[in-house]
C-alpha cells in the first residue's frame, strides 16, 4: 500500500487517501519508501506466502532520476488477476475505513487490496478530471495561437511554405482563404503531397517543374515499382495531354552545352537567352565542353556497396587543380557524380591539396535545381551502365553547367547500353568534343597540350605549358619558372645575383631579393693608431679597426706579448713552458701558472693508469685524479649480467645498481608490469592450462596442480596426416599454416633443428614455443627444461636456437614460476631497505650537516623536506659528502697553504660528483678526509711548537706528515679506518703532552661516544675537562686523572674550586642547577 501510494501520489495531497494520511504522515511515507523499501512493502502486503527466491525484481532509473521497480512478468499477471477479481469498496465504505483509524498493515490482504482498488479508482477519476481541464486549456491556447497566426498571414501578399508545412497548417490556410497556389519544382513532388496542400478555397493551382529531370522519391521502392507512385501529378497531367505551357528560353547554359541537352532531351526546342551568348571562353582550355573517354576499371566500396573509379577521381583532381591555377575560385567549380562511393573517393583525393578541399563534391541527385560556372562530371561505370543510363538523371547531370562542362567516363560502354548516351556521342564526334585526350591551351603562349594519361598533367604543373615564362620581374630579371598564368608568382624572391655596387664600385655578392647591407670587400687601409697597413672591410673606418699585426712589446717575464697590436697587452703570460711540478711529472703549461693553480686547475695530463677496485684501469689523468688521491668515475661500461638476466648498461661500479628496465617475465594474461628491481607480483587470474585429460585449478601465479600431458594431438591436417603435436599444446605451424612432417618436408627441416637426435624417431612428438615459434622434439626438450643450472645458478631458461627466454609455455609454467620465486628472494636480499631507526639516524645527520654543502637557504629548506623520501643509496651518499664538507669546514681555520689547496680540490670534487658518486669514489673521499684531518692536527702541533716533545715523538710527527702531505703522483698514503684510529690515538697522547685544546669535531665525537647529557661537563682547578654521568649532578668527590686535583662534589653541589664547562658542549648551565634545567635546550629541538 505504501508502495502504490508513493508511486501514484508522488507526494501530492488528493482524494480520500491524502485526507486519511495527514501531510506529515504522507511525507514520511514517501521519504521512507520511495526507493528500496517500496519493493519489500509491496511483496509483504500482497504476496506474504511467496518465498524470497521468487521475488525477482530488476531495478532501473526512471526519467525523473528515482529508482522504479520493474516487477517480474509472472508476478504482474498474478496481481492483475487478483486485482480484477476483488470487488472494490464503495466510496462510503472506503471513507469509513479511512476515517476509522484502522491500521492498514493489520488488514486482511483481500480487504487491503479492495481498499487500494477503491483509492486507485478515485485517483483515476481525479486524474481524468484534471486531464480534461488541462486539455481545455491547451485547446484554447492553440485556438488563440492560430488566430494570431491567421491575423499576421492575412496581411501578407505572398506566403511561402514547404509542402509538409502546407499540409500541417491546412486548417490555417483554409481560414486565410487563399485562392491561388503555386508549387515550384512540381515534377519532384509526390502527388499526395500536392493534394494535401490544397484547400476548399483554392481556385487556381499553378504547377512549375521539369518532368524530364529527377522524379520524386518514395520511402519504399515497391511503391514506385509496382504502383508508380514516384510519378508526380505534374508529369501525370502532361502524359494525359492536359493543357500546359512550355518555357523554351534557357538563361543558364552556354549554347554549346544547351545544344546537346536540347537535341537529346527536349527534342531541339530550347532557345538561348541573350545572357548566355556573352560568356567568355574557359581559361586554359581548348574547348568549353569536352567528354573524356577511357576504359579504366571500376571498383566496389565494400561498406557503402557503391562503385567508384579511382582513375576518374585522380583525373578530375588534376583537372580541377589546373582550373584553379587559371584563376578560378573553388566556389566556381563543382564536381558531381551519380554514386556516393565515388563522391567519397574524390573528396579523399582532393584533401591532399589545401585549395582543392574547398571545391564542392556532391551526388547528382542532391544537385538538382542548382548550378555553377564549371561542372566536372564523373560517370564511374565501366562494367555496366547501371542507373547512369536513366534519361532523367542524364538531363540533370548535363544541365548544371553555365560556362564550362567536362565529363569523364567509359562512353563506349554507355553508348552500347543507353540510346540516350548513344545519341549524345553521335552529336559530339563530328565536332571533336569527345575523345581519349583532353586538350589544354596555354593562356600566355597558346600552346596546346594533350592530357591522355595522369602523368601528362606534370607537363603543366604550373598551369601553363612547357615553355619558360620569360616575363620581366620588378627587379628587371627574367622569370626563371616554367610558363604559368598566375602573375602573383612574380612577386616572390628573385634568386639571381644582385646587380648593385657600393660607392667604391664593389659588386654586391648577395641574391637579388636580399638587402645589400655593408660592403665586405677587403681593401688595404692605413691604421692611424699604430701606422700599420692592413686589409680591412670596405665599409669599416680605419680608426675603428683593431690592428691584427703581432704585438712587439715584451712582458716582465721576458716573453713577447702574444696579443694583437690593437689589443691591450696581457698581464698573465700565456707562453707554454716545461716545468716539473709537485706531482713529479713534467708538464707544458702557461708561464703564469703557479704550483697552487696547477694543482687546483688539474693541469697535469699524464694518464693515471691506476688499477681500480672494479678491475678496470683509470682513464683519468694525474690532474683529474688529484695526483691519484681522488680518482674519476670509471668510464668503462659495466657489461655484467644482472640477476634478472638483463645486461648492466650503467657505467662501471663496484656494485651494480638495481635494474631500471621493465621486468621481462610475462604470462599469457600479459607482462609483469613491474621494474626488474621490484618484486614480481603473482598473476591473480585463473590458470588456463587445460586439455581433454587434465585441468589446472590454481591461479596463474601459483604452482600448477596438474601434470604435463604427453598424449598425441588428435587433430587431422588438411593433407590427411595426423598432427605431430601434443594434446593441449600449439600445433606446429609457420606463417599461419599448420605444418605436416611428411608433406612439408623441406619447410620442416628448416624450422626443426636437429639437436637431440630424437627428431627422426617415428613416434617423435613436437612442441612449438610461444615466445619465438621455434619447434623442438618434446621428450628431449622436457629433459632440457628439467635440468638444473650449473653451480646452482638462477637464470631463465632460453630457446636453444635464438636464446630468447621461455616465459609463456603452460607446459613449463612451474619452472618459470620457480625461477621468479627464487629471483624475488634474491631481490629481497640485495635491494632490501634499511631499518627504520638506522634510516632515521642517517636522515637526522643529513639534515644537521646539509648546511656545509648547500649554501642557498631556500634550497637548504627544500632539501630538509625531501630528504626523508630519498632512497637508501642516495641518502648514504649524501651523508658521506656532508661529513667530508664538515671536515673541510673544520680545517679551514688552520693557516697552511698546502692544506687549503687539498681542501679546495676535495670540495670541488664533491660538488662535481655528488649526484653520481660511486662506492670507490666514496672510499677515496673518506681516505682523503682522514688524511686531511691528521694533517690538520699535525699543523696545529707545528704552529704551537713541538720542541718540548721527545725525539721519538718528533720523528713520528715528521714521518707521518711526509707520508700524508706529499703531492707526488701515487705516493700519498691512503689511510684505512684502522690506521686512522691508530694515528688519532697516538696524536691524542702527544696532544696531552703539548696541552693542545680539542677541536670542535673532536669534542662532538667524544660527546656522541659517551651519550653525555647537556650541561654535564666540568673543569678541575687546573682547567682539565671531566664529565659526570647519570643526572649530571655532583654526588661524590674524586681525583683528576690529569693533575690529581679534587673534582666532583656532594649532594648535587659542585666543589667551589671546580666550575661548569659550558664551552665544551655549548650548554648555558650545568645539568643540575636551580631553575635552569630547560635553558640547556634549544626550543626548536624540544619541538
Amino acid at each position: 500500500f505504501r508502495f502504490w501510494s508513493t508511486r501514484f501520489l508522488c507526494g501530492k495531497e488528493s482524494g480520500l487517501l491524502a485526507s486519511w494520511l495527514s501531510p506529515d504522515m504522507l511525507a514520511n511515507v514517501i521519504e521512507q519508501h520511495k526507493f528500496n523499501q517500496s519493493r519489500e512493502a509491496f511483496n509483504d502486503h500482497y504476496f506474504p506466502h511467496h518465498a524470497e527466491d521468487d521475488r525477482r525484481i530488476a531495478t532501473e532509473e526512471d526519467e525523473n532520476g528515482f529508482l522504479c521497480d520493474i516487477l517480474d512478468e509472472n508476478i504482474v499477471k498474478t496481481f492483475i488477476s487478483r486485482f480484477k477479481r476483488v470487488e472494490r469498496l464503495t466510496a462510503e465504505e472506503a471513507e469509513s475505513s479511512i476515517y476509522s483509524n484502522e491500521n492498514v498493515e493489520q488488514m486482511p490482504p483481500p480487504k487491503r487490496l479492495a481498499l487500494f482498488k477503491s483509492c486507485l479508482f478515485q485517483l483515476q477519476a481525479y486524474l481524468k478530471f484534471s486531464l480534461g481541464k488541462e486539455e481545455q486549456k491547451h485547446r484554447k491556447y492553440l485556438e488563440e495561437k492560430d488566430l494570431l497566426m491567421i491575423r499576421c498571414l492575412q496581411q501578407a501578399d505572398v506566403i511561402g511554405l514547404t509542402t509538409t508545412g502546407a499540409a500541417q497548417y491546412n486548417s490555417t490556410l483554409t481560414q486565410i482563404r487563399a485562392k491561388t497556389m503555386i508549387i515550384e519544382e512540381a515534377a519532384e513532388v509526390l502527388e499526395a503531397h500536392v493534394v494535401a496542400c490544397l484547400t476548399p478555397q483554392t481556385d487556381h493551382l499553378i504547377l512549375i517543374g521539369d518532368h524530364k529531370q529527377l522524379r520524386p522519391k518514395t520511402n519504399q521502392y515497391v511503391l514506385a515499382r509496382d504502383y508508380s507512385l514516384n510519378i508526380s501529378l505534374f508529369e501525370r497531367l502532361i502524359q494525359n495531354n492536359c493543357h500546359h505551357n512550355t518555357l523554351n528560353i534557357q538563361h543558364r547554359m552556354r549554347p554549346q552545352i544547351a545544344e546537346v541537352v536540347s537535341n537529346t532531351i527536349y527534342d531541339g526546342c530550347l532557345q538561348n537567352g541573350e545572357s548566355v551568348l556573352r560568356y567568355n571562353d574557359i581559361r586554359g582550355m581548348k574547348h568549353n565542353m569536352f567528354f573524356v573517354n577511357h576504359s579504366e576499371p571500376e571498383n566496389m566500396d565494400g561498406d557503402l556497396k557503391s562503385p567508384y573509379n579511382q582513375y576518374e577521381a585522380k583525373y578530375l583532381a588534376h583537372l580541377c587543380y589546373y582550373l584553379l591555377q587559371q584563376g578560378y575560385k573553388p566556389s566556381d567549380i563543382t564536381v558531381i557524380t551519380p554514386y556516393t562511393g565515388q563522391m567519397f573517393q574524390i573528396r579523399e583525393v582532393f584533401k591532399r591539396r589545401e585549395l582543392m578541399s574547398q571545391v564542392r563534391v556532391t551526388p547528382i541527385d542532391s544537385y538538382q535545381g542548382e548550378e555553377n560556372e564549371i561542372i566536372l562530371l564523373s560517370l564511374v561505370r565501366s562494367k555496366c551502365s547501371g542507373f547512369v543510363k536513366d534519361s532523367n538523371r542524364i538531363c540533370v547531370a548535363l544541365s548544371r553547367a553555365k560556362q564550362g562542362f567536362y565529363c569523364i567516363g567509359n562512353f563506349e560502354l554507355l553508348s552500347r547500353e543507353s540510346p540516350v548516351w548513344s545519341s549524345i556521342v553521335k552529336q559530339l564526334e563530328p565536332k571533336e568534343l569527345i575523345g581519349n585526350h583532353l586538350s589544354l591551351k596555354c593562356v600566355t603562349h597558346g600552346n596546346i597540350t594533350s592530357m591522355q594519361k595522369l602523368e601528362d598533367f606534370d607537363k603543366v604543373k604550373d598551369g601553363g605549358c612547357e615553355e619558360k615564362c620569360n616575363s620581366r620581374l620588378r627587379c628587371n630579371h627574367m622569370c626563371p619558372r616554367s610558363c604559368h598564368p598566375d602573375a602573383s608568382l612574380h612577386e616572390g624572391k628573385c634568386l639571381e645575383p644582385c646587380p648593385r655596387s657600393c660607392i667604391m664600385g664593389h659588386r654586391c655578392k648577395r641574391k637579388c631579393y636580399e638587402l645589400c647591407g655593408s660592403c665586405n670587400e677587403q681593401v688595404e687601409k692605413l691604421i692611424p693608431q699604430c701606422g700599420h697597413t692592413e686589409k680591412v672591410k670596405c665599409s669599416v673606418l680605419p680608426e675603428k679597426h683593431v690592428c691584427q699585426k703581432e704585438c712587439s712589446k715584451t712582458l716582465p717575464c721576458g716573453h713577447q706579448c702574444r696579443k694583437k697590436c690593437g689589443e691591450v697587452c696581457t698581464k698573465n703570460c700565456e707562453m707554454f713552458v716545461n716545468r716539473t711540478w709537485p706531482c713529479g711529472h713534467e708538464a707544458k703549461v702557461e708561464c703564469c701558472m703557479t704550483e697552487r693553480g696547477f694543482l687546483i686547475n688539474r693541469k697535469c695530463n699524464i694518464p693515471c693508469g691506476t688499477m681500480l677496485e672494479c678491475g678496470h684501469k683509470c682513464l683519468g689523468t694525474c690532474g683529474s685524479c688529484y695526483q691519484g688521491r681522488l680518482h674519476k668515475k670509471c668510464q668503462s661500461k659495466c657489461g655484467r649480467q644482472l640477476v634478472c638476466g638483463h645486461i648492466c648498461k650503467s657505467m662501471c661500479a663496484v656494485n651494480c645498481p638495481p635494474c631500471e628496465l621493465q621486468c621481462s617475465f610475462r604470462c599469457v594474461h600479459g607482462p609483469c608490469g613491474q621494474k626488474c628491481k621490484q618484486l614480481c607480483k603473482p598473476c591473480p587470474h585463473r590458470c588456463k592450462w587445460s586439455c581433454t585429460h587434465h585441468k589446472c585449478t590454481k591461479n596463474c601465479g601459483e604452482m600448477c596442480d596438474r601434470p604435463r600431458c604427453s598424449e598425441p594431438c588428435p587433430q587431422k591436417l588438411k593433407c590427411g596426416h595426423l598432427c605431430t603435436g601434443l594434446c593441449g599444446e600449439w600445433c606446429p605451424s609457420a606463417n599461419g599454416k599448420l605444418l605436416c612432417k611428411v608433406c612439408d618436408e623441406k619447410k620442416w627441416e628448416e624450422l626443426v633443428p636437429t639437436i637431440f637426435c630424437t627428431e627422426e624417431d617415428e613416434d617423435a612428438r613436437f612442441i612449438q614455443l610461444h615466445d619465438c615459434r621455434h619447434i623442438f622434439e618434446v621428450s628431449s626438450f622436457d629433459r632440457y627444461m628439467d635440468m638444473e643450472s650449473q653451480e646452482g645458478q638462477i637464470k631463465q631458461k632460453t630457446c636453444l636456437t635464438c636464446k630468447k627466454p621461455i616465459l609463456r609455455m603452460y607446459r613449463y609454467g612451474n619452472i618459470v614460476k620457480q625461477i621468479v620465486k627464487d629471483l624475488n628472494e634474491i631481490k629481497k636480499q640485495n635491494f632490501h631497505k634499511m631499518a627504520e631507526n638506522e634510516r632515521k639516524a642517517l636522515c637526522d645527520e643529513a639534515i644537521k650537516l646539509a648546511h656545509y654543502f648547500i649554501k642557498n637557504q631556500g634550497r637548504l629548506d627544500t632539501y630538509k623536506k625531501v630528504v626523508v623520501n630519498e632512497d637508501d643509496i642516495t641518502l648514504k651518499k649524501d651523508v658521506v659528502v656532508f661529513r667530508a664538507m664538515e671536515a673541510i669546514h673544520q680545517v679551514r681555520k688552520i693557516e697552511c697553504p698546502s692544506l687549503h689547496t687539498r681542501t679546495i680540490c676535495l670540495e670541488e670534487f664533491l660538488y662535481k660528483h655528488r649526484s653520481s658518486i660511486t662506492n670507490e669514489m666514496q672510499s677515496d673521499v673518506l681516505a682523503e678526509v682522514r688524511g686531511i684531518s691528521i694533517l690538520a692536527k699535525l699543523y696545529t702541533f707545528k704552529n704551537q711548537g713541538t720542541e718540548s716533545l721527545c725525539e721519538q715523538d718528533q720523528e713520528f710527527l715528521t714521518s707521518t706528515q711526509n707520508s700524508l702531505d706529499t703531492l707526488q703522483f701515487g705516493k700519498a698514503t691512503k689511510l684505512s679506518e684502522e690506521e686512522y684510529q691508530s694515528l688519532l690515538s697516538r696524536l691524542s697522547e702527544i696532544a696531552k703532552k703539548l696541552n693542545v685544546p680539542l677541536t670542535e669535531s673532536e669534542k662532538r665525537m667524544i660527546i656522541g661516544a659517551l651519550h653525555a647529557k647537556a650541561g654535564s661537563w666540568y673543569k678541575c682547578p687546573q682547567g682539565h675537562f671531566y664529565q659526570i654521568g647519570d643526572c649530571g649532578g655532583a654526588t661524590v668527590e674524586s681525583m683528576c686523572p690529569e693533575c690529581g686535583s679534587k673534582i666532583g662534589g656532594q649532594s648535587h653541589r659542585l666543589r667551589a674550586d671546580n666550575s661548569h664547562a659550558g664551552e665544551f658542549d655549548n650548554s648555558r648551565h650545568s645539568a643540575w642547577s636551580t631553575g635552569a634545567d630547560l635553558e640547556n635546550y634549544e626550543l626548536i629541538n624540544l619541538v
Side-chain angles (χ1 to χ4, degrees):
F1 181 82
R2 290 177 180 173
F3 168 78
W4 287 104
S5 65
T6 303
R7 297 302 298 173
F8 280 92
L9 289 177
C10 300
K12 296 180 180 179
E13 298 182 12
S14 59
L16 295 175
L17 186 62
S19 61
W20 178 29
L21 296 174
S22 64
D24 295 338
M25 186 175 181
L26 182 62
N28 185 43
V29 170
I30 295 173
E31 183 66 22
Q32 292 184 0
H33 299 284
K34 67 180 178 181
F35 293 107
N36 297 339
Q37 295 185 6
S38 59
R39 184 179 61 204
E40 287 82 355
F42 177 82
N43 289 321
D44 292 341
H45 283 293
Y46 296 105
F47 306 103
H49 58 283
H50 280 200
E52 185 67 28
D53 294 338
D54 293 334
R55 301 175 182 175
R56 293 177 294 164
I57 297 184
T59 304
E60 64 181 18
E61 188 171 353
D62 65 5
E63 59 184 4
N64 296 319
F66 296 104
L67 291 177
C68 61
D69 301 287
I70 308 303
L71 305 177
D72 186 273
E73 184 179 357
N74 294 329
I75 299 178
V76 173
K77 289 181 178 180
T78 304
F79 172 77
I80 292 175
S81 62
R82 295 185 181 183
F83 186 80
K84 289 181 178 180
R85 291 197 302 268
V86 171
E87 289 290 337
R88 65 183 177 92
L89 300 179
T90 61
E92 293 76 11
E93 292 174 341
E95 186 176 358
S96 174
S97 298
I98 291 172
Y99 287 106
S100 64
N101 294 327
E102 185 178 358
N103 191 345
V104 179
E105 294 183 356
Q106 296 180 359
M107 285 184 180
K111 184 178 180 181
R112 187 164 58 239
L113 190 59
L115 178 59
F116 165 73
K117 191 173 182 178
S118 178
C119 294
L120 187 61
F121 270 83
Q122 290 191 42
L123 179 60
Q124 185 180 15
Y126 170 76
L127 292 177
K128 284 182 178 180
F129 176 75
S130 301
L131 184 61
K133 285 186 175 181
E134 296 300 326
E135 286 180 351
Q136 291 178 3
K137 292 180 182 178
H138 182 65
R139 196 178 300 111
K140 186 176 181 181
Y141 165 75
L142 292 179
E143 290 175 356
E144 292 176 354
K145 181 181 177 182
D146 290 342
L147 289 174
L148 181 61
M149 182 184 297
I150 292 170
R151 190 175 303 167
C152 294
L153 293 178
Q154 284 176 342
Q155 299 175 8
D157 295 328
V158 179
I159 301 172
L161 300 92
T162 62
T163 55
T164 304
Q168 180 179 357
Y169 295 101
N170 190 270
S171 59
T172 304
L173 294 177
T174 301
Q175 296 184 50
I176 295 174
R177 307 180 69 82
K179 295 184 178 181
T180 303
M181 182 172 291
I182 302 174
I183 298 180
E184 197 266 339
E185 288 290 353
E188 203 178 2
V189 180
L190 291 171
E191 183 175 347
H193 289 192
V194 175
V195 174
C197 295
L198 302 178
T199 65
Q201 290 77 26
T202 303
D203 294 339
H204 192 188
L205 174 64
I206 302 174
L207 302 179
I208 303 174
D210 187 352
H211 65 286
K212 293 189 177 182
Q213 294 190 20
L214 294 177
R215 289 177 170 178
K217 296 179 181 179
T218 58
N219 292 333
Q220 297 293 331
Y221 177 68
V222 178
L223 299 176
R225 184 189 62 191
D226 297 343
Y227 304 101
S228 301
L229 290 186
N230 64 331
I231 299 177
S232 63
L233 176 63
F234 181 87
E235 183 177 357
R236 196 181 302 279
L237 292 173
I238 292 177
Q239 288 177 354
N240 288 310
N241 297 321
C242 287
H243 176 70
H244 61 278
N245 293 322
T246 302
L247 305 178
N248 294 328
I249 300 177
Q250 65 89 16
H251 299 272
R252 173 189 296 164
M253 298 173 283
R254 181 186 294 275
Q256 193 177 17
I257 303 172
E259 183 181 0
V260 176
V261 179
S262 177
N263 294 337
T264 306
I265 307 297
Y266 297 104
D267 300 328
C269 63
L270 284 184
Q271 299 178 16
N272 299 312
E274 292 184 4
S275 60
V276 301
L277 302 177
R278 295 191 293 268
Y279 285 156
N280 296 322
D281 291 335
I282 300 300
R283 295 189 294 272
M285 305 297 293
K286 182 180 178 181
H287 304 287
N288 295 315
M289 178 181 71
F290 197 83
F291 289 70
V292 181
N293 183 33
H294 72 89
S295 58
E296 297 293 334
E298 66 182 71
N299 303 96
M300 182 62 69
D301 191 312
D303 295 331
L304 298 174
K305 303 299 182 183
S306 176
Y308 68 91
N309 194 307
Q310 194 170 15
Y311 173 80
E312 292 187 9
K314 292 181 178 179
Y315 195 97
L316 290 184
H318 286 296
L319 178 57
C320 180
Y321 185 70
Y322 176 80
L323 291 171
L324 292 173
Q325 288 177 318
Q326 307 310 309
Y328 290 105
K329 300 177 182 178
S331 57
D332 294 336
I333 304 173
T334 301
V335 182
I336 60 176
T337 179
Y339 294 100
T340 308
Q342 181 71 351
M343 178 191 69
F344 288 114
Q345 184 69 22
I346 295 174
R347 285 180 180 176
E348 188 65 30
V349 177
F350 277 23
K351 285 180 182 178
R352 298 169 189 173
R353 294 188 178 179
E354 182 178 358
L355 193 60
M356 292 175 58
S357 61
Q358 302 175 26
V359 176
R360 183 180 178 186
V361 182
T362 181
I364 294 175
D365 292 6
S366 300
Y367 205 63
Q368 179 167 332
E370 298 187 54
E371 62 183 24
N372 208 343
E373 304 297 328
I374 301 174
I375 296 294
L376 306 182
L377 173 61
S378 172
L379 296 177
V380 182
R381 304 311 295 261
S382 286
K383 295 180 180 178
C384 62
S385 58
F387 59 69
V388 177
K389 61 186 177 183
D390 182 18
S391 61
N392 297 75
R393 192 164 279 104
I394 295 173
C395 178
V396 174
L398 298 181
S399 59
R400 299 303 99 197
K402 297 174 67 177
Q403 299 188 38
F405 180 76
Y406 301 96
C407 176
I408 182 171
N410 190 336
F411 294 104
E412 295 178 0
L413 170 72
L414 297 175
S415 298
R416 289 197 306 268
E417 298 189 5
S418 171
V420 178
W421 281 113
S422 177
S423 173
I424 293 173
V425 171
K426 288 179 181 179
Q427 295 179 57
L428 297 173
E429 286 177 344
K431 301 177 183 179
E432 297 183 353
L433 296 178
I434 185 171
N436 297 329
H437 59 273
L438 176 66
S439 298
L440 307 182
K441 183 178 180 180
C442 177
V443 177
T444 305
H445 302 99
N447 297 331
I448 303 298
T449 308
S450 297
M451 300 292 112
Q452 186 171 3
K453 300 178 182 178
L454 297 177
E455 296 79 11
D456 294 337
F457 282 95
D458 294 336
K459 301 176 183 178
V460 292
K461 58 183 179 181
D462 287 333
C465 61
E466 297 182 273
E467 292 188 23
K468 288 291 183 180
C469 177
N470 291 331
S471 297
R472 289 283 181 180
L473 305 179
R474 288 191 301 176
C475 60
N476 211 31
H477 283 122
M478 305 299 291
C479 178
R481 301 172 64 95
S482 59
C483 178
H484 55 87
D486 189 0
S488 63
L489 296 177
H490 294 154
E491 304 297 325
K493 299 177 180 179
C494 178
L495 301 178
E496 295 294 326
C498 179
R500 293 178 287 274
S501 303
C502 72
I503 57 175
M504 300 299 295
H506 301 133
R507 192 72 174 266
C508 179
K509 296 182 179 180
R510 299 189 179 185
K511 298 295 183 183
C512 181
Y513 75 93
E514 296 177 325
L515 295 175
C516 291
S518 302
C519 180
N520 295 325
E521 189 73 21
Q522 296 286 331
V523 294
E524 287 192 352
K525 294 185 180 181
L526 180 65
I527 311 303
Q529 292 89 339
C530 60
H532 292 133
T533 300
E534 273 203 314
K535 283 193 174 183
V536 184
K537 290 182 180 180
C538 176
S539 58
V540 177
L541 295 175
E543 294 81 7
K544 295 185 177 181
H545 175 69
V546 178
C547 183
Q548 298 299 308
K549 299 284 185 180
E550 294 293 334
C551 182
S552 58
K553 297 178 182 178
T554 303
L555 299 177
C557 62
H559 295 123
Q560 186 177 350
C561 177
R562 302 184 68 183
K563 293 283 187 178
K564 300 298 180 183
C565 177
E567 297 175 343
V568 179
C569 291
T570 181
K571 295 181 180 179
N572 297 322
C573 180
E574 298 176 355
M575 182 70 71
F576 281 87
V577 295
N578 286 322
R579 289 184 186 173
T580 301
W581 298 98
C583 62
H585 297 131
E586 185 177 289
K588 201 170 187 177
V589 295
E590 297 91 338
C591 176
C592 61
M593 179 65 68
T594 62
E595 287 190 4
R596 187 167 183 268
F598 180 83
L599 295 174
I600 293 176
N601 295 319
R602 309 186 305 281
K603 289 291 184 179
C604 186
N605 294 322
I606 302 299
C608 178
T610 304
M611 189 65 68
L612 303 177
E613 294 181 14
C614 60
H616 299 119
K617 276 189 177 182
C618 178
L619 301 179
T621 62
C622 172
S624 63
C625 292
Y626 301 92
Q627 294 73 52
R629 301 190 311 275
L630 300 169
H631 289 287
K632 287 179 61 177
K633 184 169 64 173
C634 182
Q635 299 298 315
S636 303
K637 288 285 186 181
C638 180
R640 287 176 284 190
Q641 189 175 21
L642 302 175
V643 66
C644 60
H646 293 129
I647 300 299
C648 181
K649 296 182 179 180
S650 303
M651 302 305 292
C652 180
V654 176
N655 295 324
C656 293
C659 183
E660 295 291 339
L661 298 177
Q662 290 293 324
C663 181
S664 59
F665 283 100
R666 61 180 297 133
C667 64
V668 294
H669 301 103
C672 171
Q674 302 283 87
K675 289 188 176 181
C676 279
K677 67 180 182 180
Q678 299 171 326
L679 298 181
C680 293
K681 296 181 180 179
C683 179
H685 296 284
R686 299 296 295 178
C687 182
K688 296 181 179 180
W689 189 19
S690 64
C691 64
T692 55
H693 307 94
H694 306 285
K695 182 178 180 180
C696 179
T697 61
K698 299 288 186 178
N699 286 341
C700 181
E702 300 174 341
M703 289 293 198
C704 294
D705 57 357
R706 57 153 288 182
R708 299 171 185 166
C709 184
S710 299
E711 296 295 327
C713 177
Q715 184 173 353
K716 197 171 186 179
L717 305 179
K718 291 182 178 180
C719 60
H721 296 105
L722 289 175
C723 174
T724 55
L726 293 176
C727 173
E729 302 292 344
W730 280 9
C731 296
S733 63
N735 299 325
K737 178 186 176 184
L738 297 180
L739 290 179
C740 177
K741 184 178 180 182
V742 179
C743 301
D744 303 320
E745 184 175 356
K746 291 185 179 180
K747 193 69 175 178
W748 187 269
E749 291 177 357
E750 294 177 5
L751 296 177
V752 183
T754 304
I755 297 177
F756 303 111
C757 300
T758 56
E759 288 80 5
E760 300 301 327
D761 294 349
E762 293 184 0
D763 58 345
R765 291 284 158 182
F766 297 86
I767 189 168
Q768 187 169 29
L769 303 183
H770 295 189
D771 300 281
C772 60
R773 305 303 175 96
H774 288 122
I775 303 172
F776 298 95
E777 196 277 320
V778 69
S779 60
S780 301
F781 199 75
D782 283 351
R783 289 194 295 272
Y784 159 72
M785 292 295 294
D786 293 333
M787 289 172 56
E788 294 185 0
S789 302
Q790 296 180 357
E791 301 178 359
Q793 294 180 347
I794 300 174
K795 55 189 301 186
Q796 301 173 2
K797 292 288 185 178
T798 59
C799 172
L800 296 173
T801 301
C802 65
K803 302 303 179 183
K804 190 171 184 179
I806 301 172
L807 302 174
R808 292 185 293 171
M809 291 294 295
Y810 284 126
R811 188 175 186 84
Y812 308 117
N814 283 350
I815 297 175
V816 176
K817 293 170 186 175
Q818 185 60 46
I819 293 173
V820 173
K821 185 177 179 182
D822 295 340
L823 288 179
N824 278 344
E825 292 298 324
I826 295 176
K827 292 175 184 178
K828 290 179 182 179
Q829 297 174 11
N830 292 346
F831 308 143
H832 71 283
K833 294 185 178 180
M834 287 189 294
E836 189 64 31
N837 56 348
E838 180 185 0
R839 179 176 174 81
K840 186 177 183 305
L842 282 178
C843 284
D844 294 342
E845 185 176 1
I847 293 173
K848 183 178 180 181
L849 302 178
H851 69 277
Y852 289 112
F853 187 85
I854 305 174
K855 305 301 182 183
N856 182 277
Q857 186 61 39
R859 291 179 56 196
L860 181 62
D861 295 339
T862 303
Y863 176 79
K864 290 180 179 180
K865 294 177 182 178
V866 302
V867 66
V868 293
N869 297 322
E870 282 188 346
D871 58 89
D872 296 346
I873 297 176
T874 305
L875 180 60
K876 290 178 180 178
K877 289 180 180 179
D878 285 352
V879 171
V880 171
V881 173
F882 295 164
R883 286 174 180 171
M885 290 299 296
E886 181 192 21
I888 292 173
H889 178 75
Q890 296 298 330
V891 302
R892 277 180 178 164
K893 302 174 183 178
I894 302 173
E895 295 182 1
C896 177
S898 63
L899 193 61
H900 287 177
T901 300
R902 292 185 64 168
T903 56
I904 290 173
C905 293
L906 177 58
E907 185 175 11
E908 180 188 18
F909 182 85
L910 294 174
Y911 275 110
K912 185 176 180 180
H913 300 288
R914 176 206 170 190
S915 59
S916 59
I917 191 168
T918 63
N919 291 351
E920 184 167 0
M921 295 168 75
Q922 292 181 49
S923 301
D924 289 346
V925 169
L926 292 176
E928 183 71 0
V929 170
R930 297 185 192 111
I932 290 175
S933 300
I934 297 298
L935 283 175
K937 287 185 174 294
L938 294 177
Y939 281 114
T940 302
F941 295 167
K942 185 177 180 180
N943 293 336
Q944 191 167 351
T946 59
E947 295 81 6
S948 61
L949 295 176
C950 64
E951 183 178 351
Q952 185 179 4
D953 289 339
Q954 289 184 0
E955 289 179 358
F956 170 76
L957 294 177
T958 303
S959 62
T960 302
Q961 180 179 346
N962 292 337
S963 63
L964 295 177
D965 201 18
T966 179
L967 295 177
Q968 287 193 351
F969 178 76
K971 300 293 185 180
T973 302
K974 289 188 176 183
L975 296 178
S976 64
E977 182 65 26
E978 293 77 11
E979 294 171 335
Y980 175 65
Q981 293 297 337
S982 175
L983 286 175
L984 277 182
S985 176
R986 180 71 184 274
L987 292 177
S988 297
E989 295 176 1
I990 296 175
K992 291 178 181 178
K993 297 177 182 179
L994 295 175
N995 199 21
V996 178
L998 296 172
T999 64
E1000 292 297 325
S1001 60
E1002 289 174 333
K1003 290 178 181 179
R1004 282 197 297 273
M1005 290 173 60
I1006 294 172
I1007 294 171
L1010 297 177
H1011 302 290
K1013 184 178 180 181
S1016 61
W1017 291 90
Y1018 303 92
K1019 290 188 293 186
C1020 73
Q1022 300 300 323
H1024 299 124
F1025 295 107
Y1026 66 93
Q1027 188 257 346
I1028 299 177
D1030 296 330
C1031 65
T1035 56
V1036 295
E1037 291 188 0
S1038 183
M1039 304 290 291
C1040 175
E1042 301 287 339
C1043 60
S1045 302
K1046 289 187 177 182
I1047 57 175
Q1050 298 287 338
S1051 302
H1052 294 93
R1053 291 185 178 273
L1054 194 68
R1055 287 177 55 88
D1057 54 355
N1058 284 226
S1059 62
H1060 167 241
E1063 67 274 17
F1064 194 91
D1065 61 352
N1066 295 322
S1067 58
R1068 298 190 181 101
H1069 298 273
S1070 61
W1072 193 270
S1073 58
T1074 307
D1077 290 341
L1078 282 178
E1079 294 187 25
N1080 281 328
Y1081 301 95
E1082 295 289 343
L1083 182 60
I1084 185 66
N1085 294 332
L1086 290 176
V1087 175

